[in-house]
Structures are given as structure tokens and as C-alpha cells.
Amino acid sequence: MAREYKPRVVTANDLFEGDTVYFTASQSWSRDHAEAIVAWSQDAAETLLAAAETQQDKVVGPYLAETVMDEHNRPQPVHFREVFRTRGPSNYFHGKQAGA
Amino acid sequence: MYIYNNFDEAFVRNRVAEFRDQVQRRIDGSLTEDEFKPLRLKNGLYLQLHAYMLRVAIPYGTLNSAQMRQLALIAERFDKGYGHFTTRQNIQFNWPRLKDVPEILDLLADVGMHAIQTSGNCIRNVTADHFAGAAADEIEDPRPTAELLRQWSTDHPEFQYLPRKFKIAITGSPNDRAVTKAHDIGLRMLRNEAGEPGYEVIVGGGLGRTPMVGKIVRAFLPKADLLPYLEAILQVYNVSGRRDNKYKARIKILVHETGLDEIKEQIEAAFERQKRDFAGPSADLVAEIEAAFAPPVFDNARSLAFEQAQADDAGFRAFVETNVAEHKNPAYGIVSVSLKPVGGTPGDATADQMRVLADLAERYGHDELRISHEQNVILPHVRKADIPALHQQLREAGLATANIGLVSDIIACPGMDYCALATARSIPVAQEISRRFDELKLERDIGPLKIKISGCINACGHHHVGHIGILGLDKAGRENYQITLGGDGTESAAIGERTGPGFDAEDLVPAIETIIETYLELREDASETFLAAYRRLGAEPFKQAIHGDRGGRARAA
Ligand code: SF4
């Protein structure tokens, strides 16, 4: 039996800075998870990932990550690893949480 | 210390130029990531969760003050003002930008450092006892051998594509401070009956997914036979190592599957052949390297300042008790500087602290610094009479934490705060344990205890050989921690035993506290260490304590 599909976003690391980025509706990359385009079906997810993979000159290692919508209908990370990637390390106020 | 000769210098500079070109081609799009990745890894450049990470080798853990200052400069200019010392005697910079990496490598080359062979299926940075050249129990300084191994293995054509990465550790003392039994090859120096120095050769140790204590393949190998013998081991591995399965490719699996007797025979046969073609390095080269590691000229003037300061100042006395080890010269001490302040990140040093350490090494320490696999910094040669002044200056720099070997001297890998492979965080666990035991004020009463934490099964935090080991896992989308007990990384090496189901983050530190309370209750007296008590009592009383009551069972997931 096919597993139930869960909505996903495409995320990667920026080629130049190395920080986390998210694929958007305009086929570009945002540093804000909330701006990611959501794939609502397996087909859409595959198409999105294939499109992201053509942008090797901007990002490294795009992959699909599960998402849920918040009360403003913006995608949020689900797994703790993805939550950390939106913030930065927990031992210093560095990375995205510091606006850097 | 060993200074690069012209050949080393040209080699490193060439590699930097080559990498500069590769980075440029990646940035302008002419190299794909698939093409670039193996090239960057060969130069120590990883891509982690939040940024690139550059891993720089500190061969056999030895630095001089100029090198330490250069690391400080890099930390300041290209990182966020700090660096992270690892359990492999490397330093990692967590925030470099891709385009800056060639410049960083050039700065490193200026002080004879590089990031080569910190990644890939080659012979990695050779690690050594951090007290090398200073320890009272030492037979010989192991670093000339480590340097010989570095020169021999760097870009050795036969060993660039081994079945898997290959780690060698070496200690010049019978007391093993270099965890030699957890390496692909471990070398422990000892003397034979005739009193000649040689090596006990240990093969097939390793942590990670399948932890194993290394096995002795040669009880005594004369020093002169070392290189041909190691070549023989590597030949056997290169031919028979399992290339079909990444998880079975380390030499420990080959040793395990082939059996010790058979592997010994194969190695000895290869050694016989090898010795005919290659008798070892030239005597000139060996002499040249040994001269580079000649001990400093010690000042033997006697003084009672050290004793007097201990009598006058309890803080200093506590520091001496834990952080000063016996030097082979009785007028000297080995000073360990803890990078584990209460609530701090194990192994991190700020650029300012690195500069202070460089200054102090220059002023009091014959310009020598060491980095230990336990993520601390060592000033190996300090006149006892100077230790009080040194301590005062460490205090001012926030570097006088007197906890070496105690509960808060925790090894922790970067875990999911940085590492892309992690399954859970390890740094916050270390921070919480150290804060908790600081509150309890029990540290000195507990005595020697090694806690080691890894953020995934790769075991960079050496959890298997921690007296208390902690392994962070992802259990159905939650961080969950497995506890092992009774591990030991010394010459009496042992792999820790799992205590049962893991604990969620909020229950972990209370469980650690329960284990330690149990020890305090059950030990014969204060002289029985945690490890000794565990060996006497077995795992049961500890398991009972953390899992026995129903509450404990409900908490543990
Ligand atoms: S043990 Fe795992 S999480 Fe920790 S540094 Fe190694 S690979 Fe990363």
C-alpha cells in the first residue's frame, strides 16, 4: 500500500555561503522557510525537486523535507533537524536566528 | 618542532593553488557538485547544517605559538571568532565562505599547516599522546615516528584509495593516552627484555557502528621495522578489505572476519616480502626528524614558589591537583588548560583565548602547545616555579577551569548543532551536565570520571570508551539518548555496555545523576573510581537505579 503523502518543501545549502535555503514559487531560493513552495502531491514533489536540481550553480544537495502549515498558512519545518536548520546552532546565537 | 622542508612547502602551496582554481571553477559553474565534492573533501572542506566547515589537521596535536596565532586570525577573520578543537586533534572552523577557503589555506600554509588528508579513504592525520615529549612515564617521544608516518603516508600512491578511511594513533608511553586500541592501527611503545624500545602493534580497533577493541598482531616490533611492517598491514587490507559494503570496509571487520591468527600470518608473510624491497627510511631522514623533535633546553634551577603557592592558595592547589601532570624533568610540570568551562562548548576556544595561550606558551612553555583528543590544550613544558604566574594569567582569560579528568571535562562531538550526519545534538547535553554538577558541587568528591557524547553512531565523541557514554539518536522524530557504562579508552580498553532503553532529552541528565549517585553510594571508599566500582559491581545496580522503579520505566522511551 502506498504510504500517505505528506506535504514537502525543497531545501538545500547555498553554494557560496553554505547556509540553508528553500526553493520558492518563482524557482529561486529564499533563506526563509516560510517562503518555500509546498508540494502537495508526490508528483509535484518530484517535479519540484527535478527543477531544483537543475540549479547546481546556486545550491548544493537539494532534497525534500516534510512541512506543515502554520496558522498564517505558511510552511513550517516538521523534523527537529529541519527546525534547527531554520535557526542555527543552540550553543551560540549564530546563523539564521541572528539574522546572518 | 618539525619545520616543513622545501618539498613539503612546495607540495602544500601547489595543493592550495590547485584548490583555488577548483573553487573558482565551481563558482563559475564549470564544475558540478558531483565533480567538486571529492576535491573539496580532499582539502578538508565539508558542507554542514548551517555552513561550510573547514577541518585543519594539527599533526600529532603539536602547535607553536605562531601557528596558534594564525588559527586565531582565521577564527576572527573568517569564522565567528572561535574555533573548535576535535577528538582527532584537528581544529574545525564552522563558518567559512566557499570563496574564502583558498585564502584560509594560504594562511595555514604560511605557518606550515594544511587540511590535506583530513577526509577521504586515505591515511588520516596521525594522532599521538598529547603529553608526548614531556610525560614522566614516556619511553620515547612518539612524534618523530608520527612525523615519519605523515611523510610516508602523505600522497602515498598505493594508499590514496583504500577501502575506507584509515586512522593511526601512537603513544610513546605504556600508559595509553592516545586511545590506540580504538584505531585502525595503534602503536604503543614499550621495551623488550633487552631494554630496547619498540612497538606493540594493535590492529582493527575502531568505534562507530561496530565498535571493537583493537587486537595485538605483534607484541614487540623493533622500531626499525615499523614502516615495512605498516606497509604490510596496509597491503593486506588493500587487497582483502571489503570494498563491497561501506559499513564493512574498515580493517576491524577484515580482522574480525578473517580471524586474528590468519590475519597475523598474512601480515607476517607480506612483511617478509616487503622487507626485501623496502628496509625502511634512510638513517639520515630518521636522524633529521628526530633532531627536529629534540627536547627544549630545560632550566633546572630549583625554587619553592610552586609549593608555596599551593600552600597559600586553595584555588591554585585544586588546579594543580587536576590540571598539572608529572613531567619527566622534576623541575617542570605539564599544564592542561581545560576548554570545558561550566556550561561551555567542549573544545571551543575564542580567538582571544588562542592568543592568550600562544603568549603563555611563548613566555612560559618553550613555545609549545598541544591539543588533546579530549579537546583541551596543553602546555607541555612549564617550569614549576612559573606555574603560579601562568595560573593567574589563565584565570584572567577565563581559562583556569580546574576539572581535567572530572565529570565536567566532557568530550562532545559537534552533533546536530553543526554536523550534517548527526541524529541528535550533543553540545547542549554536555552543557547541561556540566551546569548540573557545578550546582551539586560534587565534582571533586566523584573523582575521575570520563563522560563522552556522540551525536550519531559514527562515534566521533568516543562514547563507546566513555566511563559513561552517551549516544544521541533520532527516535521517531525526537532526540533520544542511549547510555553506555564501563567504557575505557586506555591500555585496559573496553567498549561500554548499553544500559537499556534510551532517554528523552529532559530525562537524560537526571538519569546520569542517578548513575553517579549510585556509584557514590556503592563505592568502597573515595579511592575506588567510578570505573573500578563499575568493574567490581557490574552493570546491574546502575540499570536498576535508572530503570528499576516504574517511574523510571515510564520515563524511558
Ligand atoms: S559522531 Fe556523528 S554527529 Fe558527531 S561529529 Fe561525528 S558524524 Fe557528526
Side-chain angles (χ1 to χ4, degrees), chain B residues 159-338:
Chain B
F159 307 140
Q160 290 305 298
Y161 294 95
L162 294 169
R164 198 77 177 85
K165 60 186 165 190
F166 204 89
K167 299 178 183 174
I168 303 177
I170 175 164
T171 170
S173 303
N175 293 310
D176 182 5
R177 285 173 292 263
V179 212
T180 57
K181 287 197 170 160
H183 286 75
D184 295 285
I185 294 179
L187 300 170
R188 187 164 76 103
M189 196 169 248
L190 30 76
R191 290 186 192 279
N192 64 7
E193 276 151 23
E196 296 150 346
Y199 293 103
E200 175 184 81
V201 184
I202 301 154
V203 171
L207 304 177
R209 190 171 298 266
T210 320
M212 287 190 192
V213 171
K215 311 217 172 30
I216 298 166
V217 291
R218 211 13 142 86
F220 184 85
L221 180 74
K223 260 184 85 178
D225 287 342
L226 186 65
L227 285 193
Y229 193 83
L230 294 193
E231 291 223 347
I233 296 174
L234 277 147
Q235 275 168 14
V236 169
Y237 175 52
N238 226 353
V239 170
S240 311
R242 299 265 312 254
R243 290 172 191 265
D244 58 314
N245 181 338
K246 188 178 159 188
Y247 298 122
K248 297 199 168 165
R250 295 290 286 270
I251 196 172
K252 62 188 172 188
I253 305 290
L254 179 68
V255 173
H256 183 73
E257 288 182 349
T258 314
L260 183 60
D261 289 339
E262 168 67 25
I263 222 60
K264 271 190 199 167
E265 261 172 45
Q266 290 181 12
I267 293 170
E268 293 297 334
F271 175 56
E272 283 310 314
R273 290 193 301 273
Q274 194 57 37
K275 250 191 355 189
R276 264 175 265 140
D277 306 336
F278 174 57
S282 73
D284 286 356
L285 176 63
V286 172
E288 187 191 315
I289 294 176
E290 281 182 354
F293 289 95
V297 179
F298 293 120
D299 169 1
N300 295 322
R302 302 192 64 100
S303 147
L304 289 176
F306 181 66
E307 284 70 21
Q308 192 58 49
Q310 286 183 81
D312 294 346
D313 175 353
F316 181 64
R317 200 159 58 237
F319 180 81
V320 170
E321 226 172 77
T322 47
N323 295 39
V324 179
E326 211 180 324
H327 195 282
K328 61 185 170 196
N329 182 320
Y332 277 69
I334 303 171
V335 177
S336 292
V337 179
S338 167

Side-chain angles (χ1 to χ4, degrees), chain A residues 11-22 55-63 78-100, chain B residues 26-27 29 31-34 36 40 47-52 80 82 95-99 345 348-349 416-425 427-428 431 473-475 477-479:
Chain A
T11 178
N13 286 75
D14 182 77
L15 170 62
F16 310 99
E17 304 290 323
D19 61 339
T20 47
V21 289
Y22 302 91
Q55 301 206 6
Q56 286 229 33
D57 53 340
K58 296 197 180 73
V59 299
V60 180
Y63 63 93
V78 174
H79 193 276
F80 59 84
R81 182 179 194 269
E82 294 306 318
V83 175
F84 299 154
R85 287 180 77 240
T86 65
R87 290 204 302 244
S90 49
N91 58 332
Y92 299 113
F93 193 68
H94 288 156
K96 285 215 164 19
Q97 59 198 342
Chain B
R26 177 69 183 105
I27 288 174
L31 284 179
T32 64
E33 185 62 20
D34 284 349
F36 181 63
R40 70 168 156 81
L47 188 51
Q48 297 286 59
L49 285 180
H50 314 292
Y52 285 98
K80 295 185 188 291
Y82 68 102
W95 303 96
R97 287 183 299 183
L98 179 58
K99 73 168 179 45
T345 302
D348 276 12
M416 207 184 273
D417 285 305
Y418 298 90
C419 179
L421 302 171
T423 42
R425 288 175 297 179
I427 293 169
Q431 291 175 307
L473 294 169
D474 171 356
K475 192 162 185 191
R478 290 171 70 84
E479 288 173 288

Side-chain angles (χ1 to χ4, degrees), chain B residues 111-133:
Chain B
V111 291
M113 295 181 75
H114 60 73
I116 298 167
Q117 286 178 258
T118 57
S119 168
N121 294 338
C122 58
I123 297 175
R124 300 285 188 90
N125 182 24
V126 176
T127 51
D129 179 1
H130 43 271
F131 289 172

Side-chain angles (χ1 to χ4, degrees), chain A residues 26-87:
Chain A
S26 61
Q27 309 249 314
S28 63
W29 297 88
S30 167
R31 294 194 145 72
D32 183 357
H33 192 291
E35 290 178 2
I37 180 174
V38 177
W40 292 101
S41 70
Q42 186 65 42
D43 272 359
E46 278 161 24
T47 310
L48 210 58
L49 184 59
E53 276 169 348
T54 64
Q55 301 206 6
Q56 286 229 33
D57 53 340
K58 296 197 180 73
V59 299
V60 180
Y63 63 93
L64 292 160
E66 205 182 312
T67 191
V68 283
M69 308 309 274
D70 68 8
E71 67 274 22
H72 307 293
N73 208 30
R74 290 178 313 202
Q76 297 299 319
V78 174
H79 193 276
F80 59 84
R81 182 179 194 269
E82 294 306 318
V83 175
F84 299 154
R85 287 180 77 240
T86 65
R87 290 204 302 244

Side-chain angles (χ1 to χ4, degrees), chain B residues 24-80:
Chain B
Q24 192 43 48
R25 285 190 288 144
R26 177 69 183 105
I27 288 174
D28 71 23
S30 38
L31 284 179
T32 64
E33 185 62 20
D34 284 349
E35 291 162 336
F36 181 63
K37 188 175 176 187
L39 304 173
R40 70 168 156 81
L41 289 176
K42 266 188 167 307
N43 289 282
L45 186 63
Y46 287 69
L47 188 51
Q48 297 286 59
L49 285 180
H50 314 292
Y52 285 98
M53 178 272 281
L54 183 67
R55 178 181 291 163
V56 178
I58 301 173
Y60 28 86
T62 298
L63 288 173
N64 60 28
S65 61
Q67 292 172 321
M68 190 64 131
R69 284 197 191 97
Q70 197 78 330
L71 297 178
L73 179 80
I74 292 167
E76 209 160 57
R77 203 181 285 171
F78 300 101
D79 198 286
K80 295 185 188 291

Side-chain angles (χ1 to χ4, degrees), chain B residues 346-358:
Chain B
D348 276 12
T350 65
D352 288 343
Q353 290 176 329
M354 291 184 213
R355 290 202 179 96
V356 168
L357 289 164

